Amino acid sequence: MYIRDLLAYRKSTDKQLSRYIKNILGFYPNNIVLYQLAFTHKSTISNNDKFKLSNERLEYLGDAVLEIAVADYLFHTYPTQQEGFLTEMRSRIVSRASLNKLSQKLGFDNYIRYNHDNSDNTGFKSLGGNTFEALMGAIYLDKGFEFTKKTIINRIIRIHIDLDQLEQTDVNFKSKLLEWGQKHKHHVDFRLINTSKENNRKFFHVQIFIDDEPYADSCDFSIKGAEQLSAEKTWNMLSE
């Protein structure tokens, strides 16, 4: 392929992705490279790649942005509900299962770049959910937090998530994890690693140990919330 053909192909794929973002989220990207990276799984990286670019860093950032945007929305949507209810609802909205379904519904499969033959990489069951978080990270870097929060609320939650139905759904990852441990004779331990203060509120850091081996950890403003978040992450690790 000649360089001019390669550049034309690159420009064409840029336009396709840009139009896709516009169709599902209602805006055109400013920096298309961020969105290309959001749809690039780590399995595409070869051992010879110097910079090892994938969507993992964006996933880390998007996870935090998504958590606080959903928390803010629920806080104002349910003004009389207690912390436990809000934590549970947030966990259900941002759960890996929920994000995986959302990614399928939005057609991510046609745009995610990953290597089917790369046996050194795991996590393909969460491919869509991880990409969704990375996409939120890309929007945050491209447009800022307030824009990203509005996009999550107006283009994701209000269109694709039925809060009434979600409220009736019973997903307790802590209970599922404890039941799994009992069934398979593994000792599951939820350990409070430390506490800190943020905006005059306690912040709890919980990590899960299975047979004294460390697994996922999470932080939240309640122990229950931190336990549920770390339990979900551990459950996803075990599922993969």
Side-chain angles (χ1 to χ4, degrees):
M1 182 181 287
Y2 292 109
I3 290 182
R4 66 185 181 187
D5 295 329
L6 183 61
L7 291 174
Y9 172 76
R10 174 69 179 271
K11 189 174 182 180
S12 173
T13 56
D14 287 356
K15 286 184 177 180
Q16 285 181 343
L17 182 58
S18 185
R19 284 196 298 266
Y20 171 66
I21 298 299
K22 169 64 175 174
N23 288 337
I24 64 171
L25 297 177
F27 67 89
Y28 286 109
N30 291 331
N31 185 353
I32 191 63
V33 175
L34 289 170
Y35 299 82
Q36 292 170 336
L37 189 59
F39 283 90
T40 302
H41 186 255
K42 64 181 180 180
S43 61
T44 61
I45 300 173
S46 71
N47 292 329
N48 296 324
D49 287 343
K50 181 179 179 180
F51 298 105
K52 301 190 181 302
L53 294 177
S54 75
N55 63 7
E56 283 192 313
R57 283 172 54 84
L58 285 176
E59 179 190 338
Y60 158 80
L61 183 62
D63 175 49
V65 172
L66 185 62
E67 288 269 356
I68 194 169
V70 172
D72 180 80
Y73 175 73
L74 293 174
F75 182 85
H76 291 94
T77 301
Y78 298 98
T80 62
Q81 290 288 357
Q82 298 300 309
E83 184 180 34
F85 172 87
L86 298 176
T87 296
E88 184 67 25
M89 286 292 286
R90 183 190 60 189
S91 296
R92 294 177 184 184
I93 291 174
V94 303
S95 72
R96 189 60 65 233
S98 175
L99 297 185
N100 283 340
K101 289 179 182 178
L102 267 174
S103 71
Q104 290 180 340
K105 186 176 181 181
L106 294 171
F108 278 24
D109 291 347
N110 297 322
Y111 292 88
I112 299 176
R113 295 177 57 242
Y114 69 101
N115 185 354
H116 297 262
D117 302 322
N118 195 333
S119 60
D120 293 332
N121 288 279
T122 58
F124 290 110
K125 289 183 179 180
S126 299
L127 192 65
N130 294 342
T131 302
F132 186 93
E133 290 179 340
L135 179 58
M136 297 304 106
I139 300 172
Y140 169 75
L141 292 177
D142 189 36
K143 302 282 190 176
F145 176 72
E146 286 301 322
F147 185 95
T148 309
K149 184 175 76 170
K150 289 178 181 178
T151 300
I152 291 170
I153 292 171
N154 296 324
R155 303 291 300 197
I156 300 298
I157 297 177
R158 288 178 175 164
I159 294 177
H160 299 290
I161 296 176
D162 187 335
L163 291 179
D164 292 332
Q165 183 182 35
L166 197 64
E167 192 175 337
Q168 304 302 319
T169 304
D170 182 20
V171 182
N172 189 322
F173 286 99
K174 181 179 179 180
S175 295
K176 290 177 69 172
L177 192 59
L178 291 172
E179 290 172 5
W180 171 86
Q182 186 176 24
K183 179 179 179 181
H184 297 281
K185 295 181 171 50
H186 293 292
H187 178 65
V188 180
D189 187 18
F190 290 76
R191 298 182 189 176
L192 180 62
I193 304 301
N194 60 54
T195 60
S196 59
K197 276 200 171 182
E198 187 170 312
N199 296 327
N200 295 320
R201 297 184 62 192
K202 275 191 174 181
F203 206 56
F204 300 91
H205 181 192
V206 171
Q207 184 166 19
I208 293 176
F209 289 77
I210 300 178
D211 298 331
D212 286 328
E213 290 292 326
Y215 279 75
D217 65 305
S218 290
C219 297
D220 199 83
F221 288 114
S222 71
I223 293 179
K224 179 181 177 181
E227 287 178 341
Q228 282 291 347
L229 291 171
S230 55
E232 182 190 353
K233 290 180 181 177
T234 299
W235 183 262
N236 289 328
M237 291 169 66
L238 295 173
S239 298
E240 290 170 2

